[in-house]
């Protein structure tokens, strides 16, 4: 009888050990799957973060380039205005020199009339030039400009 009891205990112990081994194997498989799923999720999150960082970096580079372009175009408008003011001053002094050398008031009036007519034409041309620069500036700012 002791042998039967011992055999029964051994049999139960083996079943318990087999059940424990099976449960441990299932727990290990579940843990491995959870670890793999966590690793995959982390990899996807890292890839997404890198992609977002790359996009932000690209946007930053685009903004920097746009800022440089805006500064350059702003400078070109300012320089054009200075050139125009310089030309206007030169023409005004030339007219004053002519008027100072005039022989009579009629000649002074003619010099003044010529200067005013030429200055009006210059003003229109200057306004057109500045307008074109500003329009190009706007086109470039909106991404539609062909100039670089």
């Amino acid at each position: 009888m002791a042998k039967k009891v011992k055999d029964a205990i051994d049999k139960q112990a083996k079943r318990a050990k087999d059940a424990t081994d099976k449960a441990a194997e299932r727990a290990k498989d579940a843990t491995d799957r959870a670890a793999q799923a966590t690793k995959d999720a982390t990899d996807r999150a890292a890839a997404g973060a890198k992609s977002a960082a790359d996009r932000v970096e690209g946007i930053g580079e685009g903004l920097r380039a746009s800022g440089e372009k805006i500064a350059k175009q702003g400078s070109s408008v300012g320089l054009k205005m200075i050139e125009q003011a310089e030309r206007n001053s030169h023409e005004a002094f030339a007219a004053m020199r002519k008027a100072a050398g005039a022989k009579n008031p009629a000649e002074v009036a003619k010099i003044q009339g010529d200067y005013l007519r030429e200055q009006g034409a210059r003003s229109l041309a200057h306004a057109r030039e500045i307008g074109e620069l500003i329009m190009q500036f706007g086109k470039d700012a909106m991404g539609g400009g062909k100039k670089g």
Side-chain angles (χ1 to χ4, degrees):
M1 177 136 139
K3 176 136 174 75
K4 282 186 183 183
V5 170
K6 182 182 178 292
D7 287 344
I9 291 172
D10 287 345
K11 192 176 187 180
Q12 284 299 335
K14 184 172 179 352
R15 279 189 202 156
K17 182 183 178 304
D18 289 346
T20 302
D21 289 347
K22 198 176 215 180
E25 188 176 324
R26 285 184 185 154
K28 182 183 179 305
D29 288 347
T31 302
D32 289 347
R33 282 192 308 271
Q36 186 61 45
T38 301
K39 181 185 178 306
D40 292 347
T42 301
D43 290 348
R44 283 192 304 272
K50 183 180 181 329
S51 174
D54 291 346
R55 284 193 305 270
V56 168
E57 185 177 334
I59 291 169
E61 289 173 7
L63 287 174
R64 182 187 49 75
S66 293
E68 289 173 359
K69 190 177 230 180
I70 288 169
K72 182 179 175 185
Q73 289 172 326
S75 293
S76 68
V77 170
L79 286 173
K80 182 56 75 177
M81 292 174 78
I82 290 170
E83 288 172 9
Q84 291 172 351
E86 189 175 45
R87 181 163 180 223
N88 288 341
S89 296
H90 175 75
E91 294 297 329
F93 280 107
M96 284 190 269
R97 278 193 288 280
K98 281 183 187 176
K103 307 276 191 256
N104 57 50
E107 194 176 341
V108 171
K110 181 184 178 321
I111 292 169
Q112 285 178 335
D114 291 346
Y115 170 76
L116 290 174
R117 190 173 33 264
E118 290 168 6
Q119 181 58 31
R122 266 194 312 276
S123 292
L124 286 174
H126 293 332
R128 191 174 303 116
E129 281 182 280
I130 295 297
E132 288 171 0
L133 283 173
I134 291 171
M135 280 182 20
Q136 187 61 47
F137 175 69
K139 287 177 185 176
D140 289 347
M142 297 305 291
K146 303 273 190 264
K147 290 186 178 179

